[in-house]
Amino acid sequence: MFIKIMLNYIFGYVNILIEGYYIERFINICRNKKIAIWNLKRKEGINLYLNIGINDFKEVCKIAKKTKCRIKVERKRGLPFILNRYKKRKIFLGFLMLIIIAIIISSNFIWNIQIETEDNIEFENIEQDLEEAGLKIGKAKSKIDTKEIINKIRLKRDDIAWIGIEQKGTNAIVKIVKADEKPEIIDDDEYCNIISNKSGVITKINVQNGTSAVKVGDTVKEGTTLINGWLEGQYTGIRYVHAKGEIEAKVWYTKSTTIPYNATETSKTGKTENNYSIKINNFEINFPKGVSKFEFYDTIREEKKIKLFSDFYLPISIIKTTNKELKKENKTYTAEEAKNLGIEQLEEELLQEIEDKNKIVNKNINAYENRDSIEIEVTYEVLETIGTNEKIVF
């Protein structure tokens, strides 16, 4: 359909108004005769605006007469009418023809790769993996084997559960579903121990199956066996089981930082300057404004690809480079101010790591003053359930 509409633009089309009580019948007859109609807009029930190619105009007039509808030409569009309007401007017409030919040729290539994921999850290096698999910008659509690309990606990456590739116009839409990260599950009929997955001090033990390997007050490290997957009886001897139980321990979260008494702080002034450039495939044309007037600044680069329709991208991009001015100020802290600043920063970082804030039982702060700075260490003591299953291998 897109190719047919494109050809109608080249050969010319008209926007017409159809008036009558049998508009639905008119549309059905046009579709049965495979007449391309597009951009339909209904108005006031008996009025319909639509586009048709000039080659189909006579046939549409016959259909309108047959369905007792009135037809009126509203606008004339397309290359023939443009040529007629600008027939004396040969340079303009030649340039226009070159653009049209370039657009037709470029329609056979992929000029944009659109990646869609659930909840906008980002996949590291996915663009590079797609390019290595055979999907890259500027490649002919006829040379892209989507099945082969999908197989290569799925074999290479374990974090993808499903991937699909759809070509629309000059746009390749890649849809990805992330694979769930599931821990190894050990069946209840398999023998296993419970080992520590964190360092800490045991505060509570509740053994449901197996033999306790630690007691309350013991200090354990990551990998220490907490509950053995066996039972020993006076008459039965050692019998292996699937260890079960709940172990609570006091664990520590620690972070440290150094805050200088004399520091340089950076902040935004709100002033910006913009530069623009045009990128044609991999060739970039800059329109510089000279050296930036800002002494200190952050640079943000945005690239917007040009497209004619929703999925018909061109190998042309407009690049906007924005410089945001920064100002630097020297700041002097007292030892107490530097200490409070460091504590605030560390507490914010630690609380992001701790899942249950209500399980925090103690906070310890250490500060060490130097000649030009202060070192701060913050430790949170947290009660947590620890332990993970480890299969017994004979």
Side-chain angles (χ1 to χ4, degrees):
M1 187 66 176
F2 169 76
I3 299 297
K4 199 165 186 179
I5 294 172
M6 197 70 183
L7 290 172
N8 279 322
Y9 182 83
I10 294 171
F11 295 114
Y13 70 93
V14 290
N15 178 256
I16 60 174
L17 168 64
I18 304 295
E19 294 179 299
Y21 293 100
Y22 303 103
I23 290 176
E24 287 77 8
R25 189 181 171 204
F26 171 86
I27 295 172
N28 291 333
I29 294 174
C30 287
R31 287 177 175 169
N32 289 336
K33 290 181 176 289
K34 295 183 179 178
I35 295 173
I37 58 176
W38 70 97
N39 199 23
L40 282 73
K41 294 179 181 178
R42 194 78 176 261
K43 187 177 180 182
E44 297 176 358
I46 61 171
N47 292 338
L48 177 69
Y49 292 90
L50 56 87
N51 294 338
I52 60 164
I54 56 173
N55 293 332
D56 296 323
F57 183 70
K58 289 184 179 179
E59 185 66 26
V60 167
C61 288
K62 293 178 183 178
I63 297 171
K65 186 176 180 181
K66 184 178 180 180
T67 55
K68 298 180 181 180
C69 293
R70 221 160 44 119
I71 189 167
K72 180 184 176 183
V73 176
E74 293 288 315
R75 287 180 294 275
K76 298 176 181 179
R77 294 286 186 269
L79 193 56
F81 302 111
I82 294 174
L83 293 175
N84 186 58
R85 192 184 309 164
Y86 297 102
K87 58 185 177 182
K88 293 183 181 180
R89 303 180 184 180
K90 295 179 180 179
I91 296 176
F92 172 80
L93 290 177
F95 184 68
L96 183 62
M97 288 298 295
L98 286 175
I99 291 175
I100 292 170
I101 293 169
I103 290 172
I104 293 172
I105 294 172
S106 69
S107 66
N108 296 308
F109 297 84
I110 291 295
W111 297 115
N112 185 65
I113 298 175
Q114 179 180 334
I115 297 174
E116 297 180 357
T117 62
E118 292 182 322
D119 302 323
N120 296 321
I121 297 171
E122 293 186 3
F123 289 83
E124 189 176 354
N125 298 326
I126 187 63
E127 293 88 356
Q128 182 180 342
D129 290 342
L130 286 167
E131 184 173 336
E132 291 175 357
L135 181 63
K136 58 183 178 181
I137 291 174
K139 188 168 183 177
K141 293 191 285 186
S142 59
K143 294 183 179 180
I144 295 175
D145 187 338
T146 56
K147 289 184 179 179
E148 184 182 352
I149 294 167
I150 289 169
N151 289 334
K152 286 181 179 179
I153 295 295
R154 294 197 66 178
L155 285 171
K156 185 174 183 179
R157 302 187 66 120
D158 296 328
D159 57 343
I160 293 176
W162 180 87
I163 178 172
I165 301 173
E166 181 182 5
Q167 294 182 36
K168 285 187 176 181
T170 60
N171 188 27
I173 302 172
V174 182
K175 297 180 180 180
I176 303 175
V177 176
K178 186 176 176 63
D180 293 332
E181 297 180 4
K182 297 180 179 178
E184 182 184 2
I185 298 174
I186 301 175
D187 295 335
D188 286 346
D189 57 355
E190 292 186 284
Y191 306 138
C192 71
N193 301 317
I194 294 180
I195 64 170
S196 177
N197 55 352
K198 290 183 179 181
S199 299
V201 175
I202 304 298
T203 57
K204 186 189 296 183
I205 302 173
N206 179 18
V207 180
Q208 299 169 9
N209 199 19
T211 303
S212 177
V214 293
K215 59 183 183 295
V216 172
D218 284 353
T219 300
V220 297
K221 296 180 179 179
E222 188 173 347
T224 301
T225 301
L226 304 175
I227 301 176
N228 289 310
W230 51 264
L231 293 168
E232 185 175 8
Q234 184 177 356
Y235 302 104
T236 59
I238 294 177
R239 178 169 57 89
Y240 288 96
V241 297
H242 182 102
K244 291 182 180 180
E246 186 177 340
I247 299 95
E248 185 184 74
K250 185 190 296 180
V251 299
W252 297 275
Y253 291 83
T254 301
K255 282 189 177 291
S256 60
T257 189
T258 300
I259 304 294
Y261 297 138
N262 296 303
T264 302
E265 288 190 351
T266 302
S267 60
K268 296 178 181 178
T269 65
K271 296 180 180 179
T272 60
E273 59 181 10
N274 297 319
N275 294 324
Y276 295 90
S277 59
I278 296 176
K279 184 178 178 184
I280 302 174
N281 201 8
N282 293 321
F283 180 72
E284 189 171 333
I285 304 171
N286 294 305
F287 301 101
K289 291 185 178 179
V291 180
S292 175
K293 63 183 179 182
F294 302 144
E295 185 179 1
F296 304 107
Y297 55 89
D298 275 339
T299 300
I300 299 172
R301 182 183 169 97
E302 297 176 307
E303 182 175 347
K304 185 177 181 180
K305 295 192 175 182
I306 303 299
K307 58 182 179 179
L308 295 180
F309 310 102
S310 60
D311 288 300
F312 192 90
Y313 287 84
L314 297 176
I316 304 171
S317 302
I318 302 296
I319 298 173
K320 178 183 177 182
T321 304
T322 303
N323 296 329
K324 296 187 175 183
E325 186 183 30
L326 303 174
K327 64 178 180 180
K328 295 185 177 182
E329 295 179 326
N330 294 324
K331 191 90 174 182
T332 301
Y333 298 105
T334 64
E336 188 65 23
E337 288 173 337
K339 178 181 176 181
N340 292 334
L341 179 62
I343 292 171
E344 184 180 345
Q345 292 177 358
L346 295 176
E347 285 184 337
E348 184 178 348
E349 294 175 13
L350 286 168
L351 290 174
Q352 289 178 352
E353 295 183 8
I354 299 170
E355 293 182 5
D356 190 350
K357 313 297 185 293
N358 296 322
K359 293 289 185 178
I360 298 173
V361 294
N362 192 23
K363 179 174 71 173
N364 186 36
I365 299 172
N366 292 315
Y368 309 95
E369 293 188 26
N370 301 315
R371 185 173 60 85
D372 55 359
S373 63
I374 185 169
E375 298 176 28
I376 304 106
E377 182 183 80
V378 178
T379 301
Y380 278 110
E381 292 182 3
V382 186
L383 290 178
E384 289 187 1
T385 299
I386 64 171
T388 186
N389 289 341
E390 181 186 60
K391 187 184 295 187
I392 297 174
V393 180
F394 295 97

